[in-house]
Amino acid sequence: MKKSISMVLLAFTACAFLAGCNKKSGASSEAAASVAKVIVDHTGTQVTIPANVERVVISSLLPLPSVYCLYMGGPKKLVGMHPSSKAAAVNSYLSTCYPEIKDIDSNFVKGSTVSVEELLALKPDLILYNAGNQEEREIFNSVGIPAVGFSTNIAGFNTIETYAQWIKLLGEIFGQTKRSDEIIEYGRSVNEMVKSRTASLSENEKPVCLFLYACEANSITTYGGNMFNQYWIETCGGKNASFDLKGSASINMEQIYQWNPDKIFITNFTPALPEDLYTNAIGTYDWSSIKAIQNKEVYKNPLGMYRWAPPSSDTPLALQWFAKQIQPELFSDIDMDAEIKSYFKKFYGVELTDENLNDIYHPARAASGK
């Protein structure tokens, strides 16, 4: 009943708005058309959106708020974001740079379900969501709110190109800017630089790398060869231990013993830290015989404006950081402190301190949202 009433109210409001515009401009159909525009999202769907969007909700695409803030110069017009996105934001530099993001609502998602009532209370003009989440699209369509899908596999899990396509679509919605072109060009230049240095490596020169999406007492999860970790590892001159798996996959210690990775990367989607593996502090797992443990080559992904695993506003920085960990000799000339400070100053307009850098390199467990 509530949903039906809300749909009627939305329809009534839209009609009244258009009627008002027509009256003010002589009731011409051209004037009515001027209040909306049509874009094509990453699902290939034509979406009619208001010409002037004032209230935005970002739902199931968790890294998108950081890219949105990079593009918009802050969380302007953003009134709702996913709880997991907010957990990362509150425990990252994003909330330091833009403190107002702490006050953005995240109650419209309960667990993994969108609450229609809470969503309507935010009065969004537009929703940005993960194009692969068709269940959400149906909910948004049912209440008549324009929804634009952003894809995670539009560029074959190439993080640089995915991030570029997200920025391009934001430009189609909010208007292209010179700044957006600079952001895309910088990312592509970093990608070309890294690839040029690793292109001639032999297979024997490539370390075996394992990404741990999650590491908890009763489960260990990694990514397969069709996820973003493949791009990071392959581009930066490594071999993906879990290449033959697909998607997000559960694994056990026996499998890890067989892979015996040279390097392990722990994402910010889990509270686990390198010292937890070094000291066997999680469950009953024994990591002591793994090469990465013995050589102290376990790395917690940094957390700048968002988690450095999927595409995010920090993607060009993440690519350089992964390159330095996977092929330290090839990338010994890159000063990550200087790169991060320069990037943040140019694209975010902020001056980072050494303390800020330390926080980025050593994210809090709470950033996982668990």
Side-chain angles (χ1 to χ4, degrees):
M1 178 63 75
K2 286 182 179 179
K3 186 184 292 185
S4 299
I5 293 171
S6 297
M7 290 174 68
V8 171
L9 288 173
L10 282 169
F12 178 81
T13 302
C15 291
F17 177 70
L18 289 173
C21 289
N22 288 343
K23 183 176 181 181
K24 187 178 289 186
S25 59
S28 68
S29 59
E30 289 80 9
S34 71
V35 303
K37 63 179 178 178
V38 177
I39 63 166
V40 177
D41 72 5
H42 290 162
T43 69
T45 302
Q46 290 188 339
V47 184
T48 301
I49 67 173
N52 296 306
V53 175
E54 294 298 332
R55 297 180 66 82
V56 179
V57 166
I58 301 179
S59 186
S60 48
L61 193 56
L62 305 185
L64 191 58
S66 73
V67 180
Y68 178 93
C69 289
L70 171 64
Y71 181 84
M72 298 290 283
K76 302 169 185 175
K77 304 182 180 183
L78 189 60
V79 297
M81 61 194 296
H82 193 283
S84 183
S85 298
K86 189 168 182 178
V90 170
N91 290 281
S92 72
Y93 198 78
L94 194 62
S95 63
T96 303
C97 189
Y98 310 116
E100 62 270 34
I101 208 165
K102 297 177 182 178
D103 299 322
I104 292 175
D105 192 278
S106 62
N107 293 321
F108 70 97
V109 176
K110 309 291 185 182
S112 59
T113 305
V114 171
S115 166
V116 173
E117 185 176 4
E118 295 279 0
L119 177 65
L120 291 175
L122 295 174
K123 301 179 181 179
D125 299 319
L126 181 66
I127 299 172
L128 313 180
Y129 75 104
N130 188 328
N133 195 329
Q134 288 304 301
E135 183 178 347
E136 280 197 355
R137 171 181 278 277
E138 291 174 7
I139 292 172
F140 305 145
N141 286 345
S142 74
V143 295
I145 305 174
V148 176
F150 285 69
S151 176
T152 58
N153 59 9
I154 193 170
F157 297 105
N158 177 320
T159 54
I160 291 289
E161 285 306 312
T162 301
Y163 143 99
Q165 292 302 316
W166 290 356
I167 291 172
K168 181 180 178 183
L169 187 51
L170 286 172
E172 292 173 10
I173 296 169
F174 299 104
Q176 298 287 2
T177 67
K178 179 182 178 183
R179 187 164 175 270
S180 65
D181 292 337
E182 291 177 346
I183 293 166
I184 292 172
E185 288 169 7
Y186 176 72
R188 286 175 174 164
S189 69
V190 170
N191 180 66
E192 291 173 6
M193 179 273 291
V194 172
K195 281 190 170 184
S196 68
R197 295 193 189 189
T198 60
S200 61
L201 288 172
S202 68
E203 288 302 301
N204 290 335
E205 294 175 301
K206 298 178 181 179
V208 176
C209 303
L210 175 65
F211 262 65
L212 294 181
Y213 172 77
C215 186
E216 301 171 2
N218 57 355
S219 66
I220 304 174
T221 309
T222 188
Y223 299 112
N226 63 337
M227 298 288 281
F228 292 115
N229 62 306
Q230 179 62 31
Y231 170 79
W232 297 124
I233 295 170
E234 183 178 38
T235 304
C236 297
K239 290 184 285 191
N240 183 7
S242 58
F243 176 79
D244 292 331
L245 303 180
K246 299 297 180 184
S248 178
S250 295
I251 56 175
N252 55 40
M253 288 304 300
E254 291 303 320
Q255 180 65 75
I256 296 172
Y257 293 148
Q258 290 179 21
W259 288 330
N260 197 17
D262 299 294
K263 299 172 187 283
I264 294 175
F265 295 93
I266 304 175
T267 75
N268 299 118
F269 292 100
T270 178
L273 299 175
E275 51 262 39
D276 296 330
L277 272 60
Y278 293 144
T279 61
N280 289 328
I282 301 174
T284 59
Y285 309 132
D286 181 7
W287 296 86
S288 60
S289 65
I290 305 295
K291 287 181 185 177
I293 306 300
Q294 295 177 347
N295 297 326
K296 294 293 188 289
E297 295 257 33
V298 180
Y299 305 97
K300 182 74 171 182
N301 293 4
L303 178 65
M305 293 296 195
Y306 187 72
R307 306 173 178 112
W308 289 11
S312 74
S313 58
D314 295 338
T315 282
L317 297 175
L319 182 56
Q320 294 174 82
W321 181 84
F322 281 116
K324 283 186 69 69
Q325 314 316 312
I326 294 173
Q327 291 289 344
E329 293 184 5
L330 279 182
F331 298 95
S332 61
D333 60 312
I334 294 177
D335 182 340
M336 280 309 303
D337 289 2
E339 290 292 330
I340 294 173
K341 285 183 176 181
S342 174
Y343 185 87
F344 271 60
K345 183 176 181 180
K346 180 174 183 178
F347 293 118
Y348 299 121
V350 296
E351 298 272 0
L352 293 182
T353 66
D354 290 341
E355 183 179 357
N356 296 147
L357 285 175
N358 185 67
D359 291 339
I360 289 171
Y361 291 136
H362 301 94
R365 292 182 189 269
S368 67
K370 295 181 180 180

